[in-house]
Amino acid sequence: ESGDLSQYIKNQIYTYDDKYFYEIFNGLEYLFKNSILHRDIKPQNILITNNTIKISDFGFAKTFEKNELITTVCGSPLYMAPEIIKNKEYDHKSDIWSLGVIIFELFSKKHPYYTTSKKKLLNNIKNGIHIDYSLINDLKLTLFIKELLNENPIERIAWIQLFEEFHYYKD
């Protein structure tokens, strides 16, 4: 009834940023613990009802094994992990990248590396994505987001470690 997270962000609303952050994270934690890879996490697939988050659109979702590598390209380019855009194998850490983009957007009200075409996006990814973290006013949150938006999936934070840090951040 309240639209989706993209509308909340576009309208420059800040009232529920922390609440939505926790709810999105808890929803994705539930998916991971049930071995579900969403593969299309973006603000348009995060619905808001009674000021509560509902993750939707599981059309690309699949179950995964811990060390499984996937090659199917699916999702929305502005929220896809660099390894997917580069047509490389990827794993469950690709959803961590998407989460990082959304959290950055939620708190800054801007996409971290917005571009108008897939060609420009590919060039940006090949040359290294430049993100202006000064748009985030909280140092602890900035450091947290940087772990999510590590372009190298091997160095990107793992879900288990992310859960531990998130619960630390939350407290």
Side-chain angles (χ1 to χ4, degrees), residues 91-102:
D91 61 17
H92 57 88
K93 284 186 173 183
S94 65
D95 274 356
I96 293 173
W97 176 273
S98 303
L99 173 62
V101 174
I102 290 169

Side-chain angles (χ1 to χ4, degrees), residues 102-166:
I102 290 169
I103 299 306
F104 185 97
E105 250 184 310
L106 178 63
F107 286 96
S108 72
K109 305 305 179 205
K110 295 182 182 205
H111 191 281
Y113 51 91
Y114 182 79
T115 186
T116 54
S117 75
K118 194 170 181 180
K119 184 177 180 180
K120 287 180 185 176
L121 179 61
L122 271 168
N123 285 335
N124 288 348
I125 288 171
K126 285 178 186 172
N127 298 324
I129 296 172
H130 300 286
I131 298 172
D132 182 5
Y133 287 101
S134 70
L135 296 172
I136 305 295
N137 295 328
D138 178 323
L139 179 60
K140 200 171 169 184
L141 180 60
T142 299
L143 295 172
F144 184 75
I145 293 171
K146 283 182 175 182
E147 291 185 288
L148 304 173
L149 294 179
N150 189 322
E151 290 183 59
N152 183 339
I154 295 167
E155 296 173 9
R156 192 176 305 142
I157 191 169
W159 279 108
I160 300 302
Q161 185 184 357
L162 183 58
F163 299 144
E164 290 171 7
E165 286 193 24
F166 171 74

Side-chain angles (χ1 to χ4, degrees), residues 13-73:
I13 301 168
Y14 293 87
T15 312
Y16 300 105
D17 289 2
D18 288 335
K19 180 184 189 307
Y20 291 169
F21 171 51
Y22 298 135
E23 290 181 359
I24 291 165
F25 193 89
N26 288 330
L28 293 176
E29 184 176 18
Y30 175 86
L31 292 178
F32 177 79
K33 287 182 176 178
N34 287 281
S35 300
I36 299 169
L37 183 63
H38 190 283
R39 299 198 302 176
D40 196 18
I41 298 169
K42 60 184 178 181
Q44 294 83 353
N45 288 340
I46 299 174
L47 306 180
I48 302 171
T49 303
N50 297 323
N51 295 319
T52 300
I53 292 298
K54 307 279 185 192
I55 298 173
S56 69
D57 192 355
F58 288 82
F60 290 133
K62 76 177 283 321
T63 57
F64 68 89
E65 298 295 323
K66 186 176 177 189
N67 297 318
E68 179 181 7
L69 293 174
I70 305 160
T71 57
T72 308
V73 175

